[in-house]
């Protein structure tokens, strides 16, 4: 059994981790922590856990938890993990950081987009960007995994297969993404007050969202060159799900069929990526509660533009599901263990 | 392995059964049928099944399916099952009927509320009403299980513990129930067109809903006397969930604490019923996707009325979840096998 | 022109007042205030007002505002109005209090349910309970109107016609009410965070909601005797609307048709009450954005229970709409001025 | 008084027209028709009209209605209006066609995108494309107005001011639009069944939506050259509203401030267009129920891309509101008559 602990278990990502870890056949949950609710039973925060998992939150004693755990998940605001993790801790346990601190390899870009000083830049090189479908073979070598962002996961998976194809104009990329409101977390804010976001859609943080450099850095790594793109997130009145509608111009003639083949080939060993057949487009409802990323393609010959659309569950493949997938890879068990359930519908 | 087939797998209840049966560690799915979609792949109807379960619908050949299956689930409109099931079929396989045809023991009441002639009234006596918490010991003796209705399950579980207590006035019962829109099924109707039911609530079939006699008959059986009650269903703008707010007058003085003890005692062996502690009330979000029924209690001393509130997922404990629970009981395996997952939230 | 000011214009009720007053052909808006946003433009709080009404919030100087206004609306938390209003102010202006401070005639009951001392009990007698359909002739005599609560308005209008009929057992009343989430206001709380209340329904404040004594006092006044009833509010995932499903036992035989006649007669001069014909039941969508109260009736002969169901828009007939209706009555203009718009649908 | 009739009053656009025309101070409603509901009272289809407007649907006798009406609105499926309208009818009355038949000047493009033969191509030249902000001075000269599509109105208004600016690369335009579900109308379809579209977002008709050539033709007319662009509609789980997120590359250096000035200048006489100030972005909630189009701008210097975002209410500025605005212009009354109400919120 893998003993897994969760630092920061009171938010939605932490909770989704607890749910998956509890259901996981090869995991036992160690400690769960929260700075604000020490001693409080978990089912008080989340009524769904009643009679199932009622342990109290512990203090955030990272040293003790590292010693007692095989893996520690961090679900913390940015800037907190980089303050907490040290080489010593990494010598004792594996760390999967659900936050942003180790996602960007370029510390300058991190500091510029996050407006804060990085506190352990030396650890960045010792971490791996845990987008499983792209880094699968490397992940198991690392003790520190930077679990990708939700928009990022969806956008990268949707565009990566094109990055090595010279037919596509990588200067023309537009990503227009739509997220459910769990993406904004459990903290109270007027923008996520029910009657302020229900029955309305809006863009936010246009040209300023922090997942932008993460997408650029990773797609750039696949492409082998610098990528600059425009990314626009939208807040959509639904609990879960991300849909990323991606636009890229073609410089050469290609058929949609040929492009679909690139995708099928690229993801032939990735069971969580489902490439939809011609005429089918992803919908967030079909991936909800699951670790799948569905991708649909439509080539517009009039404008020579490929529209590639990806859909994920932001709390699953976009956060906790991928975290567990990373854990499975690290511990050498089947990648899909504890993640095989059919998506639940309608929900 | 139990070989389970589903007759009528194209609706929401059928689909939820497929999801649970596929995830169930001791089940293999046999045939699935639909009259309207023979030959069509399952993932065409339900995109969540892509890459997971892509078998086509078969013809509804009940004889053949009965021979090849250990258990057959029927998810059909009322009047269809009673036309299909015979003693011969029951000699070959177990049948769990998700519909209404065998729920009412009194065939006259069935014909009066359903405005149709019952086609196999002799089988009614050979069937068991599969409300697991109440009939657990009897279910395994039967080959034909009438799986209870969604409103019914929630209402009966919420009121049953009081029925044997002389302190309660069983002539005063009011059940005001609220259901999500999956309760209305997948068939198109203007009342369930998105823009006609979104952002609105209404009562429907007041004093005329067919779950009324089912609730009365079963509560009457517990009480040992005839029960007449008023039941009002409401359509609520959400996908899943039923909340039943039940009112009953007290004829004697009792404390809320004492009443809660009745419930805890009554359900002490029922792991899917969670009696909430003082001051806590059920919310449908905490049971969504699970087989739980949460029950909360509040005694109003001013009016000497007990308000007992139950919450279930209408497609789970209110349909497919309970169907699987019945199957588990019949085959002598742990009642909660395949049903243990933590409710998913927020979803 | 009537000069109308709004004290507490930053919440939903205040905003709905501004909308109605701005659209009203015989009103000019005087001052609007907020303690937290003095100097801030109104369209910063509410983007819908951009280019239309962009005045800043003023300080809450009640003396000055009273002098400059023909009528002052108070949209304040309970306990604040009773601290602010004096006889001197009432000698200068009319006051329509949207809050609870003057709704209950019995100050002991107020203090008991609101857990606070009433600061101007002497003014209670000088105020009128502004449920227009019931008090129309008296309202214009008063300078201080206590505008009724939202649940209260819906519940009283739905039950009042029965209170003088000896055929009904007033000890048997159950009111099961469902409200949209604007009823909880604009203040942030985890219970109204989008992802915590979306796609879920729950009861709250069972046997403890403060609208209970208000309903009892007013129905008791109509009945000419003390009324005790059980009232259960529910939070429903939608922005606006209240549906009150009311149950009352009959002691004598009456037809539904006869009961409907009581209602038609009782409300024959009330243009905002629409009594639905046989077989029709109210839905909150049909009254949204309007000042209507729709009432439907169903007599259940099996249990000798009348189910009377009312629907209103909680911010309109349940708050601001009725406030404007009260203003119209006070100033002797047509009751429906500024309130005649057809309900908007689908919205 | 203008006597206005509505052919096809049973759908959402027809209903919104009735609502606006009934509230309009200078209009009396003449005939309303529906092919499917002749003789049926309007409030049976739309419960909000009870006690307000209860006339029955008449037969669709266009000759008689043309004679008796000053203006006739057509809210019909494409292909029906072009079959119905003749020069003779236009000699008797003004016609405002809410459908697609006269929107495209190029009949070949119409026939290619609508897969049907145009039945009165000669009338196309005699009609005007009724996008009021752009064609205001011409509209009053015409008897036949082609009222623009919903996505079209939002997209054109959001991009038009840039079309005459050489700084923008008109080959780079991407329009990613999101619509509420009223956009799909009242006809039943599994894609708009509540539980199939609630809590999910998807793109549809990618590179194939019929509003594409309409946007291209009109933007091309402003630009004075052919425009080709990619347009992607999305179905969003909300009743009303369209948000169009538009992307266009800059070929020259411009500040965001300068670009905003273009917009302010371009729309200086257009009271229904609100250009948001720096840092503000449109949200559909702020325009709901109104005729406004809100436009926000963000220049991304990293990629030299302007993100211009527009928001409208699809049934108002995107259909019925603009229809009434066209009527006002034709009859020489104030453009905003009957359209001045403050947007209702939260709704």
């Amino acid at each position: 059994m893998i003993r897994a602990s969760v630092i920061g278990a009171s938010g939605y990502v932490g909770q989704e981790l607890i749910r998956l870890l509890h259901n996981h056949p090869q995991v036992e949950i160690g400690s769960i922590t929260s700075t604000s609710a020490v001693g409080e039973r978990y089912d008080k925060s989340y009524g769904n856990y009643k009679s199932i998992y009622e342990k109290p939150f512990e203090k955030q004693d990272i040293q003790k938890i590292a010693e007692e755990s095989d893996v520690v998940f961090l679900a913390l605001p940015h800037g907190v993990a980089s303050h907490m993790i040290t080489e010593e801790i990494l010598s004792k346990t594996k760390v999967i950081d659900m936050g942003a601190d180790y996602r960007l390899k370029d510390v300058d870009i991190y500091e510029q987009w996050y407006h804060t000083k990085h506190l352990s830049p030396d650890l960045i090189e010792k971490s791996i960007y845990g987008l499983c479908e792209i880094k699968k073979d490397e992940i198991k070598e690392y003790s520190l995994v930077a679990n990708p962002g939700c928009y990022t996961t969806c956008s990268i998976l949707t565009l990566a297969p094109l990055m090595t194809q010279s037919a596509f104009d990588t200067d023309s990329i537009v990503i227009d993404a739509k997220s459910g409101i769990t993406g904004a977390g459990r903290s109270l804010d007027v923008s996520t007050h029910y009657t302020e976001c229900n029955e309305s859609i809006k863009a936010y943080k246009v040209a300023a969202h922090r997942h932008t450099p993460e997408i650029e850095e990773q797609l750039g790594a696949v492409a082998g060159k610098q990528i600059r793109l425009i990314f626009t997130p939208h807040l959509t009145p639904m609990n879960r799900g991300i849909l990323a509608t991606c636009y890229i111009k073609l410089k050469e003639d290609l058929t949609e069929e040929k492009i679909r083949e690139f995708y099928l080939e690229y993801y032939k060993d990735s069971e969580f990526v489902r490439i939809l057949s011609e005429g089918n487009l992803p919908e967030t409802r079909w991936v909800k509660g699951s670790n799948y990323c569905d991708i649909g393609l439509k080539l517009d010959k009039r404008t020579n533009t490929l529209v590639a659309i990806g859909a994920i569950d932001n709390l699953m493949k976009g956060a906790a599901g991928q975290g567990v997938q990373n854990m499975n890879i690290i511990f050498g068990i089947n990648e899909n263990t504890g993640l095989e359930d059919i998506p639940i519908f309608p929900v």
Side-chain angles (χ1 to χ4, degrees), chain A residues 60-249:
Chain A
Q60 222 146 282
D61 183 343
I62 182 68
Q63 293 297 340
K64 178 171 167 292
I65 292 170
E67 269 163 36
E68 298 171 356
S69 309
D70 299 309
V71 59
V72 176
F73 290 89
L74 308 180
L76 297 165
H78 74 264
V80 180
S82 58
H83 193 75
M84 188 183 275
I85 300 306
T86 60
E87 300 227 24
E88 192 209 346
I89 286 166
L90 296 177
S91 71
K92 294 178 185 163
T93 191
K94 307 287 185 186
V95 171
I96 299 174
D97 180 18
M98 311 303 288
D101 286 5
Y102 301 103
R103 290 179 189 158
L104 293 166
K105 289 295 167 208
D106 185 332
V107 70
D108 292 339
I109 289 182
Y110 175 88
E111 295 185 347
Q112 175 189 324
W113 285 77
Y114 286 86
H115 312 299
T116 187
K117 193 140 188 63
H118 199 292
L119 296 168
S120 48
D122 47 314
L123 289 182
I124 296 177
E125 275 313 304
K126 302 192 171 160
S127 72
I128 179 81
Y129 188 77
L131 187 45
C132 307
E133 282 67 24
I134 291 180
K135 308 276 188 172
K136 200 179 308 185
D137 298 334
E138 301 167 61
I139 289 166
K140 56 176 151 299
E141 312 297 328
Y142 286 80
S143 290
L144 176 55
V145 177
N147 205 65
C150 51
Y151 283 123
T152 326
T153 295
C154 193
S155 302
I156 296 174
L157 290 177
T158 305
L159 286 169
L162 309 175
M163 289 303 103
T164 55
Q165 305 291 335
S166 60
F168 293 89
D169 176 4
T170 52
D171 289 337
S172 71
I173 299 171
V174 171
I175 303 173
D176 189 286
K178 298 90 182 164
S179 174
I181 292 170
T182 46
R186 207 184 203 191
S187 299
L188 303 187
D189 188 273
V190 72
S191 69
T192 48
H193 190 56
Y194 183 87
T195 43
E196 301 286 320
C197 60
N198 184 38
E199 290 290 305
S200 187
I201 188 165
K202 67 168 181 181
Y204 66 101
K205 291 188 189 162
V206 178
H209 194 280
R210 288 158 171 173
H211 287 178
T212 312
E214 198 180 324
I215 301 169
E216 290 179 344
E217 196 174 276
Q218 293 300 323
L219 287 182
V222 178
K225 63 180 175 187
Q226 198 187 55
I227 301 280
R228 281 279 168 278
L229 53 80
I230 176 105
F231 166 73
T232 310
H234 295 76
L235 203 60
T236 309
M238 58 188 194
N239 281 339
R240 286 189 182 221
I242 285 180
L243 191 82
T245 311
C246 305
Y247 302 85
I248 187 167
K249 292 268 182 195

Side-chain angles (χ1 to χ4, degrees), chain A residues 40-76:
Chain A
E40 208 170 275
R41 275 168 49 160
Y42 201 60
D43 59 316
K44 191 176 166 198
S45 287
Y46 291 103
N48 43 333
Y49 286 77
K50 185 175 160 59
S51 307
I52 304 170
Y53 182 84
E54 300 183 334
K55 285 193 190 157
F57 288 108
E58 299 178 20
K59 274 194 305 181
Q60 222 146 282
D61 183 343
I62 182 68
Q63 293 297 340
K64 178 171 167 292
I65 292 170
E67 269 163 36
E68 298 171 356
S69 309
D70 299 309
V71 59
V72 176
F73 290 89
L74 308 180
L76 297 165

